[in-house]
Each structure stands twice: as structure tokens, then as C-alpha cells.
Amino acid sequence: MPESHEGTAPRPLLGILGGTFDPIHLGHLRLAEEVREALSLDRVHFVPAAVPPHRPQPALSAEVRLELVRAAVAENPQFVLDDRELRRQGASYTIDTLQDFHATHPDHHRVLILGMDAFNGLKQWHRWSELLEWAHIAVATRPGAPLADAAAQLLDDHALPLEQFRRQRGGGIIRIEITRLDISATAIRAALDAGRSVRYLVPECLLNPLNRHYSAPKKSQYKKPR
């Protein structure tokens, strides 16, 4: 088990942003940058999922998604590609990932970064009630977009001043309003399927790799967990 929730000497904060990144796009990168800046995170780890339990399997292979995320974050020294879920067997459960981060980065407190849609569905996640034992949660919300009632109540119940994030290993939830960028991986894949440009939706360095890989036969190497 991790150390107590009791206040300790301040520790640096490490951000964790998971997802299929199928493909990664400017919305992901801008979200991570705004949360990093708002919370003064030491860095943000981008963690591509291997077998996402609550959504369809990725269209692009693990190797391609890793290649794209690596290229997308390469120029930001505070962004890190983290492949631990792809190296782990079985479904990519967030609770397992947070426990692994605790083991590999014991000198940091962890901040799980979630978009509003993910946070609204948090209570459907595997062992969701244990997540706050291992990390804080930063909820990135869009201007004027309300949280679901249950999610809003969860946020109120676990509201914690930012200064306490560095003194406690977890237990806090904070809401951060970010720039609204209506970019989705689904729309990007549809545009690529139709032969349309995705320039200015993804980093410039991804245009050639995406066009090359997305035109190839797409097979996920993973089976959906039962």
C-alpha cells in the first residue's frame, strides 16, 4: 500500500494522460500543456492504452500509435511517451497503471488527467473508488460545459487546494477550464478514410506518417477483454 494521506513534505507533481491516441492530435497536446501549466507539473506522461476496457479497440496498431505519440511529444521536454500499458499483458486498467507509477516514481505525487467525458463516466471504471488512493485527478473541462450531477458531486466531495496536491499522495480533485478545441480522433480517421486533409488537426510532423500508415490495412493486434 502507498504511504498515508497525511500531509508530508512537498513533492513534485507528475501528470498522467492516458488514452488510445488513435491518433494523437492537437487537442490532446493542448489539454496536456494547459493542465501542466495550471498545476506546475514536473512533466506529463502520455500513456497509450493497449486494451482499453470501455471502448472499441484502436484502429491503428500499437507500434504506429507509439510512433505517432513519440513524434508528437518530441519537441516538448516536459512531455514523455510512456509505453507501460503496451508492455503489460491484459486490459489497460488505470488502477494498475497508477500503482505502477507509484512504484517507478516514488518521489512524485501523481495527477491523473481526465477530460470531462471520461470523468463523467468514472464510476463505471474498474475499481474506480481506489484511484484516489494513488493519485489526484485533474478534470479538464470546456467553457460552458457542465459536469454530470454525480461527477459534480464527486468533485465537490474531493475538492482540495492545489497547494495540498504536493503534500498528499492523492485524494484531491481539481477542475481546470481549458481552451475549447473541437478535434476528435474519430473525425480525423474519417477524414483520412475519405482522403481529406488533416493539416492543423494534428502536428505537422504526423501528416506523412498518418497518411502512410492509415492507408495500410488496419488490424488491431489485441483482442477485446471479456
Side-chain angles (χ1 to χ4, degrees), residues 16-158:
I16 301 168
L17 180 61
T20 56
F21 301 117
D22 188 33
I24 190 168
H25 54 69
L26 292 179
H28 296 128
L29 297 168
R30 185 61 196 174
L31 180 157
E33 179 69 1
E34 293 191 20
V35 174
R36 183 203 62 77
E37 185 175 51
L39 301 185
S40 298
L41 300 178
D42 212 25
R43 58 187 181 273
V44 177
H45 285 236
F46 288 71
V47 187
V51 184
H54 303 298
R55 59 185 303 168
Q57 298 307 290
L60 293 169
S61 72
E63 291 81 6
V64 171
R65 290 184 291 123
L66 279 175
E67 175 190 342
L68 297 175
V69 175
R70 182 179 291 109
V73 306
E75 295 187 1
N76 189 330
Q78 292 169 306
F79 285 177
V80 178
L81 168 62
D82 195 308
D83 68 349
R84 71 185 64 217
E85 289 191 355
L86 292 168
R87 288 186 279 107
R88 192 170 69 225
Q89 297 296 313
S92 301
Y93 291 124
T94 300
I95 184 64
D96 297 331
T97 300
L98 294 181
Q99 290 174 340
D100 196 27
F101 266 103
H102 173 73
T104 58
H105 296 83
D107 294 331
H108 285 75
H109 287 159
R110 297 152 295 280
V111 180
L112 177 64
I113 303 170
L114 298 179
M116 189 173 63
D117 291 342
F119 186 65
N120 279 336
L122 187 65
K123 290 190 176 183
Q124 280 71 57
W125 288 25
H126 177 66
R127 294 166 57 191
W128 74 270
S129 62
E130 299 177 43
L131 298 178
L132 288 168
E133 288 293 313
W134 300 90
H136 303 288
I137 294 177
V139 186
T141 62
R142 300 182 296 272
L147 289 169
D149 290 344
Q153 186 62 56
L154 186 63
L155 191 154
D156 288 343
D157 290 344
H158 292 274

